[in-house]
Amino acid sequence: MFTFTKPTLRRAIAVLLLLCTAPMALARGAGPTPTPPPAAPFVAAQAAALLPAFSGDLAQASAWDRYTIIAALSPGERRVRGTVTVAVTNRSPRPYERIYFHLYPNHPDFGGRLDITSATLDGLPVASGTEQGDTLLWLALPRPLAPGGVTQAVLSFEAQTPRNASSTTFGAFNQEAGLWSLATFYPILARSFAATGWDRRPIESRGDFVVSSTALYDVTIDAPTDWRLISTGAKLSTSAVNASVKRERFVSGPQREFYLGATQGLDAASVTVDGTRIVSHYQPANATAGKRALRVAEQALRTFNARYGPYPLAELEVVQAALTTFLGMEYPGVVLIEQNLYKQTGGDLEPTVAHEVAHQWWYSQVGNDAQGEAWLDEGLASYAQVLYYEGVGAPALATDELNFFRDGFTAIRKRKRDAPLATSTANLRGIYEAVAYDKGALFFHSLRGQIGEATFSRFLKGYYAEGRYREITGPDLLRAAESACTCQLDQLYADWVLTTAPVRIP
Ligand SMILES: [Zn+2]
C-alpha cells in the first residue's frame, strides 16, 4: 500500500464518470485472437515465473483461477485493447447465478476508463450490467453454475489512462515521466465467500484498491518496439509482429493480480539475490539513486528471505514513477517508487523501497482484505522498515523508524482519534495512516516484546509459511502467534486490534 507524503492530499477526485458502458464495436481482427491453452500446458508454463525450488507450488493450481490476457498497447492514445479469458471455478458451496468482476479504472480516483466491449460465458453472449458507479460488472449465467463447476468467461475490453495526471489522480494508472503504468487495466474477478457471497463492496479511496484472490496469468502483449515492458512474473518470449511492433508473452506464477507497465527513456540495472533477479528502472538523470534503489531492494530481499522465509518468484522490479501524492505502491513482482525520492538527498528512498519490497510477503504472498483489515499487511510492511534496518546493521535507523510510528500513534491518541486496528478503511477517515501503518507496526513491536525474540522469529516464519497464497484474517494472525509462543495472547490482541484500550506504546 501507499506511504504518504501528505495524507490530506489523498482524496477522491471528482471526475466525469461516463455511465454508459454500451458495447462499442470492436473491429474483428483489430487485435490478436484469444486462444487460451488447455489447463495442463497453461499451468506447466507458469513454472518460469517461480524459482526452481518452488515449482512444486503449482500442484495447488486447481485452487486458482486462470487468466489469459491478449492485448495491444497504443501508447500514443494511452489505450489498451484486448481480451481476457478467465476459467472461473465455483469454489463456494452454493450455485452461482452471476459472475462479478471489478473494473477498478472506473473509480473516480483513476481518472481513466475500463470499458467492456463484449462478454460471453462458455461461448454464449449473456446479460450484463454494472454496479457501484461502474466499478463492478456482473455477467448473468445462462444456467446456475453448480459448486465445483467451471465456466469460461471471455471479455473484450478497452482501457485508457490519463497522461501527466499524477498530481490529481492515481499515479499507478497514468502515463508520465517515462512510465506508462497500467495497474488493473483488465477486469479482475471479485472474491466469493461461502457465507456472504460475492464481494460487492464499494471501493474506498483510502488505501489499496485491489482485493483479489491468487490466480495464474498468461499474458501476451503487442507493443511498439521502442517501449520496454515491465510486468508481474517472467517473460517467456519476444517476437516481432512487424518492423515497429513486438509481441511479448509473460506468465505470473501464483499472484493476486497482473501488473503491466511500459517505459520509454528509462535506464535499468539488475542484480540477482538468492536466485531472484531484481531490476531497477530509473530516469537517466537519477542513475545514482536508481542504483541505490537496486541496492536497497537487494538488501531488503536478502533480509526478508532470512527473516520471513524465501521469496519464491524469479523476478522483482523496482520502478521510478510519478506517484506525486504518495511514496510507493506494491504490485506482485513490481514496486513503484515516487520519482522525487530519487532526486532528494533525504532518507525516504530506503525505507520506502524496503516497505514496498516487504509487501511481496505481506499482501502478495500472504493476502488479506486490504480494504477491511489494512493493518494486517500495512502494519507488517511498516514494521519491516524496522526489521530491514536491523538486518543491515543500522540499529539507530531502526529506532528512527519506530520513533516515527510512535509519533504518529501518539498524535491520534492526543486528539482522541485512536481506533481499533480491526477498523475498515472506510471508517478511518483522517487517521488511516496513523492506525493501519503506525499503530499496526507498533502492535508487532509490542508482540515481539511480549513473546521474545526467538518466538517472534518463529511466528514470522510460521505465519508466512501457513499464509502463502491464502487470505489471512486477524484471528488467523492471532492463532499463528499463539501457536508460536504456546501462550494466550487474547488480551494483547483485544487491546490493540479490537478496542482502543490505552496500550503502553512500546
Ligand atoms: Zn504499504
Side-chain angles (χ1 to χ4, degrees):
M1 189 171 293
F2 324 104
T3 48
F4 296 88
T5 38
K6 294 171 190 160
T8 48
L9 280 181
R10 184 81 192 138
R11 64 194 192 280
I13 299 18
V15 298
L16 182 64
L17 259 183
L18 301 174
L19 292 173
C20 171
T21 51
M24 280 177 276
L26 189 73
R28 289 255 169 242
T33 311
T35 48
F42 180 101
V43 172
Q46 297 288 323
L50 289 158
L51 294 178
F54 293 90
S55 57
D57 289 359
L58 293 171
Q60 303 170 53
S62 63
W64 305 319
D65 294 313
R66 302 188 306 274
Y67 289 70
T68 303
I69 299 175
I70 297 175
L73 308 190
S74 305
E77 305 174 278
R78 294 140 22 239
R79 272 184 209 281
V80 186
R81 294 181 183 85
T83 303
V84 56
T85 302
V86 194
V88 184
T89 301
N90 180 357
R91 298 187 179 84
S92 84
R94 289 182 302 209
Y96 284 167
E97 310 277 337
R98 289 178 169 185
I99 309 281
Y100 283 86
F101 290 88
H102 296 293
L103 308 178
Y104 290 104
N106 294 339
H107 187 281
D109 282 12
F110 280 67
R113 281 300 295 174
L114 172 54
D115 287 307
I116 304 305
T117 54
S118 73
T120 63
L121 290 175
D122 295 327
L124 301 171
V126 291
S128 64
T130 61
E131 300 174 3
Q132 307 288 18
D134 251 5
T135 61
L136 189 66
L137 168 79
W138 56 263
L139 303 179
L141 283 147
R143 69 188 75 82
L145 183 66
V150 182
T151 185
Q152 183 154 284
V154 180
L155 294 91
S156 296
F157 64 89
E158 181 170 323
Q160 187 176 31
T161 75
R163 177 183 285 144
N164 298 333
S166 65
S167 61
T168 52
T169 65
F170 182 51
F173 192 72
N174 178 40
Q175 191 182 89
E176 186 169 340
L179 171 67
W180 186 22
S181 183
L182 288 158
T184 62
F185 67 99
Y186 61 92
I188 297 181
L189 195 63
R191 300 172 309 153
S192 167
F193 298 101
T196 52
W198 292 94
D199 180 1
R200 295 162 59 200
R201 294 171 299 176
I203 300 159
E204 281 301 318
S205 281
R206 279 173 293 284
D208 290 342
F209 296 100
V210 176
V211 187
S212 56
S213 299
T214 300
L216 298 170
Y217 290 85
D218 191 316
V219 180
T220 301
I221 300 292
D222 286 1
T225 48
D226 55 347
W227 287 77
R228 185 199 306 223
L229 300 183
I230 289 172
S231 81
T232 294
K235 183 159 66 184
L236 282 187
S237 63
T238 304
S239 59
V241 175
N242 57 45
S244 58
V245 176
K246 62 182 173 180
R247 178 167 296 169
E248 298 193 347
R249 181 178 164 208
F250 304 89
V251 288
S252 65
Q255 295 282 26
R256 290 177 197 277
E257 56 182 303
F258 185 86
Y259 175 84
L260 180 66
T263 69
Q264 194 176 48
L266 299 193
D267 283 344
S270 69
V271 68
T272 297
V273 182
D274 297 342
T276 297
R277 181 168 173 262
I278 308 177
V279 186
S280 171
H281 303 265
Y282 50 84
Q283 296 165 18
N286 304 132
T288 303
K291 285 168 188 155
R292 189 163 152 248
L294 180 67
R295 200 163 55 247
V296 173
E298 174 187 354
Q299 290 171 336
L301 199 73
R302 192 172 286 127
T303 300
F304 302 150
N305 275 343
R307 289 234 60 162
Y308 306 147
Y311 176 76
L313 280 305
E315 270 189 40
L316 174 64
E317 299 186 80
V318 180
V319 190
Q320 184 178 10
L323 303 178
T324 307
T325 60
F326 53 98
L327 298 183
M329 183 66 203
E330 74 280 11
Y331 292 99
V334 178
V335 302
L336 308 182
I337 306 294
E338 157 60 17
Q339 60 174 341
N340 282 318
L341 298 186
Y342 292 68
K343 300 171 185 175
Q344 296 164 354
T345 48
D348 282 347
L349 181 64
E350 191 164 11
T352 302
V353 171
H355 176 107
E356 303 305 342
V357 169
H359 272 303
Q360 298 304 315
W361 281 259
W362 317 123
Y363 147 72
S364 191
Q365 292 283 307
V366 179
N368 60 286
D369 177 358
Q371 296 231 313
E373 294 185 292
W375 72 279
L376 286 170
D377 65 306
E378 289 308 341
L380 262 177
S382 298
Y383 196 57
Q385 298 165 218
V386 177
L387 298 178
Y388 166 83
Y389 280 123
E390 290 175 355
V392 301
L397 294 173
T399 302
D400 285 352
E401 294 302 306
L402 278 171
N403 285 337
F404 178 81
F405 302 137
R406 289 167 181 145
D407 290 348
F409 183 37
T410 302
I412 57 164
R413 285 229 294 214
K414 275 193 185 140
R415 287 163 46 214
K416 306 211 179 307
R417 293 290 318 276
D418 189 11
L421 287 175
T423 305
S424 73
T425 55
N427 294 316
L428 290 173
R429 199 170 292 268
I431 53 170
Y432 169 67
E433 293 80 24
V435 174
Y437 293 64
D438 301 342
K439 185 178 181 180
L442 292 170
F443 164 80
F444 289 101
H445 198 54
S446 190
L447 173 66
R448 184 183 186 179
Q450 181 157 334
I451 65 180
E453 192 59 33
T455 307
F456 184 69
S457 288
R458 202 159 60 239
F459 152 68
L460 287 172
K461 288 191 166 128
Y463 178 62
Y464 175 58
E466 207 176 291
R468 288 179 63 225
Y469 305 137
R470 290 178 49 210
E471 187 179 310
I472 289 297
T473 63
D476 294 325
L477 182 137
L478 173 62
R479 275 192 292 277
E482 288 186 332
S483 117
C485 71
T486 52
C487 67
Q488 295 286 307
L489 295 166
D490 310 54
Q491 193 61 49
L492 178 84
Y493 186 81
D495 288 350
W496 284 83
V497 180
L498 306 178
T499 70
T500 53
V503 291
R504 192 186 67 79
I505 297 180

